[in-house]
Amino acid sequence: MSTNVVAKEIKAAKRAERNSQGFSASKAIRYVLLIVSLAIVLMPVYVLLITSFKTATDADPSTTWLLPTEWSMQNWINAWDSLKGGIWRSLLLVIPSSLISAMLGSANGFVLSKWRFPGSNAVFTLILFGMFIPYQAVMIPLMRMVVNTGVGFGIPTLIFMHIVYGIPICTLIFRNYYESIPTELIEAAKVDGAGMLRTYFSVVLPISVPSFVVVIIWQFTSAWNDFLFALFFGGTSQQGPVTLALNELAHGSIMADYGGSMAGALLASVPTLIVYIALGKYFVGGLMSGSVKG
């Protein structure tokens, strides 16, 4: 009997050893894959960073992967001088367009989820249809509208464009989130005598922070990185957002300024990077907050 027990213990020990070896091997493979993936993702960042510190003679495509022979901050100084006005105008564009489209999407999502009316599903479908209209399909009609109405080109026109184009995705996100709010909460507010607006501002809006984080990040990034609307309706590079100034920086001279372009690209990406660092931990939670009901 004791011999059988010892044999079973030996087998169990060998099995545990094999499992631990297999676990270690699979864990090592996962780490290797993660490191390789991280290296692939960071390669463009590496090229951007080292090229931004190279001099004009050193910034050559044949030496893309090599470190600078002489480190220089001149590219960053020139890029900042060229882009600082565009960065300020982009902030004037993305902040109101993100906040206004978020508020409109929140109001739409609340009405379409908790205050149903005849044809509400049809209205929601028509709003969502705006998500699938590409910019290129409406560029000529929008240009004619802007010219015929005489509203002019520049940041105010771009704010209006991004608010309108942001309403569909903001409405979808907020509607899905508000669908997860218990109907009993809304009914309790009605029993207490609260109307639609009072219920929205006093009950629903305070618990909407996760969805607001999602749509603000989405709208901020979309408006900041936009080039097509800026090219058509932003006016000159002295009137438009940073993407126009960055385009002029990259193509403004006869010879390509690789170092200045790389420094400008990094500077232009700083605001969106700050937004993701500050609010990124809430982004996934906000996306998932309305996906599970009950």
Side-chain angles (χ1 to χ4, degrees):
M1 185 68 180
S2 58
T3 305
N4 293 335
V5 172
V6 172
K8 288 181 180 180
E9 290 180 353
I10 294 174
K11 289 182 180 179
K14 291 182 178 179
R15 191 182 303 112
E17 184 179 357
R18 288 195 301 268
N19 291 338
S20 63
Q21 290 175 351
F23 176 76
S24 300
S26 62
K27 192 174 182 180
I29 292 173
R30 286 199 297 270
Y31 276 117
V32 169
L33 292 176
L34 286 174
I35 292 172
V36 171
S37 301
L38 182 63
I40 293 174
V41 170
L42 292 181
M43 274 194 295
V45 180
Y46 167 78
V47 173
L48 279 170
L49 192 60
I50 65 170
T51 306
S52 67
F53 290 102
K54 292 181 179 180
T55 60
T57 55
D58 200 12
D60 187 87
S62 61
T63 60
T64 297
W65 302 101
L66 301 180
L67 293 174
T69 55
E70 179 184 351
W71 294 79
S72 172
M73 290 293 297
Q74 191 60 44
N75 291 325
W76 289 85
I77 297 173
N78 296 338
W80 173 249
D81 291 337
S82 300
L83 299 182
K84 59 184 178 181
I87 291 175
W88 171 247
R89 289 188 294 272
S90 286
L91 289 174
L92 294 178
L93 162 66
V94 299
I95 293 175
S97 62
S98 300
L99 294 178
I100 295 173
S101 59
M103 285 300 302
L104 292 175
S106 175
N108 290 341
F110 172 64
V111 172
L112 293 171
S113 62
K114 297 302 182 184
W115 291 78
R116 296 298 179 88
F117 55 89
S120 60
N121 290 332
V123 172
F124 180 57
T125 302
L126 291 175
I127 292 176
L128 289 187
F129 184 70
M131 293 174 54
F132 305 102
I133 301 177
Y135 288 3
Q136 296 84 347
V138 297
M139 206 56 64
I140 293 177
L142 283 177
M143 177 61 73
R144 289 182 176 177
M145 182 189 73
V146 170
V147 172
N148 292 336
T149 56
V151 296
F153 301 96
I155 297 302
T157 301
L158 290 175
I159 291 174
F160 176 76
M161 299 289 181
H162 285 288
I163 288 174
V164 172
Y165 252 85
I167 287 176
I169 183 63
C170 293
T171 300
L172 174 64
I173 293 173
F174 276 107
R175 183 180 183 272
N176 290 343
Y177 178 74
Y178 292 149
E179 285 284 356
S180 65
I181 296 177
T183 306
E184 291 78 7
L185 189 64
I186 308 300
E187 295 296 333
K190 289 182 180 180
V191 171
D192 290 339
M196 181 175 67
L197 292 178
R198 181 64 181 275
T199 302
Y200 173 70
F201 285 106
S202 299
V203 178
V204 175
L205 197 59
I207 60 175
S208 303
V209 175
S211 291
F212 269 101
V213 170
V214 172
V215 298
I216 286 174
I217 290 178
W218 182 279
Q219 284 297 100
F220 189 99
T221 306
S222 176
W224 186 274
N225 294 332
D226 171 67
F227 179 71
L228 190 59
F229 274 157
L231 183 63
F232 276 79
F233 306 108
T236 64
S237 59
Q238 286 72 36
Q239 296 175 295
V242 68
T243 48
L244 289 183
L246 185 60
N247 181 64
E248 183 173 318
L249 176 65
H251 303 93
S253 59
I254 298 176
M255 296 184 63
D257 184 8
Y258 295 109
S261 300
M262 301 301 180
L266 289 171
L267 279 175
S269 64
V270 167
T272 52
L273 183 62
I274 292 175
V275 169
Y276 271 102
I277 291 175
L279 302 176
K281 62 181 179 180
Y282 305 106
F283 186 70
V284 176
L287 282 176
M288 299 299 295
S289 59
S291 62
V292 179
K293 300 180 181 179

